[in-house]
Amino acid sequence: MKITKLTTYIVPPRWLFLKVETDEGIVGWGEPVVEGRALTVEAAVHELADYLVGKDPFLIEDHWNVMYRGGFYRGGAIHMSALAGIDQALWDIKGKALGQPVHSLLGGQCRDKIKVYSWIGGDRPSDVARNAKDVVARGFKAIKLNGCEELQIVDTNEKIDKAVETIGIIRDAIGPNIGIGVDFHGRVHRPMAKVLAKELEQFKLMFIEEPVLSENREALKEIANHCSTPIALGERLYSRWDFKSVLADGYVDIIQPDLSHAGGITECRKIASMAEAYDVALAPHCPLGPIALAACLQIDAISYNAFIQEQSLGIHYNEANDILDYVSNKDVFHYEDGFVSIPQGPGLGVEVDEAYVIERAKEGHRWRNPIWRHEDGSVAEW
């Protein structure tokens, strides 16, 4: 079998899909994208395609190494996301060719299902409290929300109090036994992060996410010493080498590699195993489309330390389209009682509705994240 063609589709709301074709008619799908940089990743995919066309798609490990090590400059969001989507598609091809789900080829599943959490509403915490009860009523046992608005490097107690009030309202609304993940979104700098983390500890959170930007992770030591809440990060780390120092430092309790950013299935399996050796939990990041979610579930299936999966069904970004719009087997993600079942179909398990993908790609998108500014006019982290 040989790879014959790579085709990309930019589709709403903010996704990029990849189809890899072979001379035996077996097609694999991947989701290589950086939110807000879809066109740039698309270009990187087609640069990597120069090497792949004509190659045996089964040689995934070798292709991964060539695509990574074959360039003098390597790593980072664009390169690793392009590589990730290609890797997903190659595993999809291999699984389909052998009539097996990817997790079967990786040693077999160690769980039948995994807990999922649902995002609660928008960028502003004041928008989210009223939605929490509805989500729990739909069966979710865990939720996540943005924990604060923009914060300057040193900001007021008023903003801290507002964030604490919002989380308190949500905890009161859903009771003590629903997991709450609070995402600082990298909006908080070290001086305020330790204050906010300490103030939120009273709500017995499932985790706090990106309490500081990953590039400022030396601050995690002090934050960890201010609270006992589990600390999660990793969506803006792109390889096992990025995660190496995070794990070695010992201040992160949950890692969140993104299967569409961190080198795909091949790389994230290695990252998950590294984390297991440090007794660190796995909760893959995935506010993306159906192919990315299917890839995540393959890793969840085989990773002992996986405990919860992010998913974007109904997320506030999905205005024009949602994840089930692009698949023919709409029961592939079977949600029940706060869990989603591990897909059992060949490859990634999702049957992409190619005709609909082509139709929506005619509209495409140029999604960009908001630009926020502080009261003094300086740019704020979003």
Side-chain angles (χ1 to χ4, degrees):
M1 189 188 300
K2 305 295 181 185
I3 297 168
T4 57
K5 187 178 181 182
L6 284 78
T7 307
T8 49
Y9 302 95
I10 293 178
V11 296
R14 53 177 193 160
W15 303 333
L16 172 63
F17 293 166
L18 165 67
K19 180 176 75 169
V20 177
E21 299 177 62
T22 68
D23 59 356
E24 294 188 11
I26 298 175
V27 170
W29 289 87
E31 197 167 331
V33 69
V34 171
E35 301 92 305
R37 298 288 184 269
L39 289 165
T40 315
V41 178
E42 182 180 44
V45 167
H46 290 294
E47 289 178 335
L48 293 171
D50 293 344
Y51 165 76
L52 289 167
V53 171
K55 300 295 192 301
D56 179 354
F58 273 32
L59 302 179
I60 298 172
E61 186 72 26
D62 185 61
H63 295 331
W64 197 100
N65 279 299
V66 170
M67 288 187 289
Y68 180 79
R69 302 177 191 277
F72 186 81
Y73 301 100
R74 61 188 69 166
I78 303 302
H79 178 206
M80 297 304 286
S81 297
L83 201 166
I86 293 170
D87 181 83
Q88 293 168 7
L90 295 182
W91 278 110
D92 196 29
I93 289 170
K94 193 166 191 174
K96 289 174 179 175
L98 298 175
Q100 294 290 322
V102 170
H103 56 76
S104 178
L105 305 182
L106 296 174
Q109 66 190 62
C110 64
R111 58 175 48 84
D112 301 319
K113 59 186 179 180
I114 190 165
K115 185 183 288 187
V116 289
Y117 64 78
S118 177
W119 261 92
I120 302 296
D123 290 313
R124 303 291 185 177
S126 58
D127 298 336
V128 303
R130 64 181 179 273
N131 298 324
K133 277 188 174 180
D134 293 338
V135 168
V136 173
R138 293 188 350 239
F140 287 95
K141 297 179 183 295
I143 63 173
K144 190 172 84 171
L145 68 149
N146 284 320
C148 62
E149 301 179 13
E150 61 270 34
L151 286 176
Q152 286 188 302
I153 189 165
V154 176
D155 215 313
T156 64
N157 289 328
E158 180 183 7
K159 286 191 177 180
I160 296 294
D161 292 344
K162 185 177 180 181
V164 172
E165 180 185 11
T166 299
I167 304 304
I169 291 170
I170 291 171
R171 175 54 84 199
D172 289 342
I174 63 178
N177 298 320
I178 300 296
I180 301 177
V182 174
D183 191 353
F184 288 25
H185 221 249
R187 296 170 181 170
V188 189
H189 299 270
R190 174 177 175 168
M192 304 309 294
K194 59 185 180 181
V195 176
L196 184 56
K198 185 176 181 180
E199 290 291 324
L200 291 177
E201 188 170 15
Q202 61 186 296
F203 302 117
K204 298 181 179 179
L205 302 175
M206 182 170 60
F207 57 77
I208 55 174
E209 180 174 335
E210 280 197 323
V212 291
L213 291 166
S214 294
E215 53 263 41
N216 296 329
R217 58 183 175 264
E218 66 279 355
L220 294 174
K221 178 179 180 180
E222 189 169 3
I223 295 167
N225 287 332
H226 275 77
C227 70
S228 60
T229 307
I231 293 173
L233 63 77
E235 68 189 69
R236 287 187 267 196
L237 302 177
Y238 309 111
S239 72
R240 74 198 90 147
W241 297 282
D242 288 347
F243 279 93
K244 182 167 64 172
S245 61
V246 168
L247 294 169
D249 288 345
Y251 300 112
V252 171
D253 306 289
I254 303 162
I255 58 160
Q256 301 169 303
D258 189 306
L259 271 286
S260 283
H261 298 334
I265 291 169
T266 298
E267 183 71 350
C268 286
R269 185 191 187 187
K270 297 173 182 177
I271 293 168
S273 294
M274 288 171 61
E276 185 182 350
Y278 285 92
D279 206 22
V280 169
L282 174 71
H285 179 255
C286 189
L288 295 171
I291 304 167
L293 178 57
C296 287
L297 293 174
Q298 308 302 318
I299 293 298
D300 292 329
I302 63 165
S303 301
Y304 176 79
N305 53 334
F307 83 102
I308 201 165
Q309 176 60 57
E310 181 174 24
Q311 52 82 49
S312 72
L313 185 63
I315 198 172
H316 50 290
Y317 298 119
N318 297 353
E319 295 180 353
N321 283 104
D322 215 328
I323 61 172
L324 296 180
D325 295 345
Y326 291 103
V327 297
S328 301
N329 57 335
K330 297 186 185 300
D331 60 347
V332 61
F333 305 122
H334 177 63
Y335 293 86
E336 186 175 357
D337 198 26
F339 288 79
V340 66
S341 298
I342 302 299
Q344 298 300 316
L348 296 178
V350 289
E351 298 170 8
V352 175
D353 185 344
E354 185 174 353
Y356 188 72
V357 169
I358 292 170
E359 180 64 29
R360 297 302 289 140
K362 294 175 183 177
E363 176 177 329
H365 69 83
R366 291 184 68 87
W367 185 87
R368 299 290 185 267
N369 67 242
I371 302 299
W372 286 5
R373 292 187 180 273
H374 296 297
E375 188 177 1
D376 64 6
S378 60
V379 174
E381 294 285 351
W382 170 72

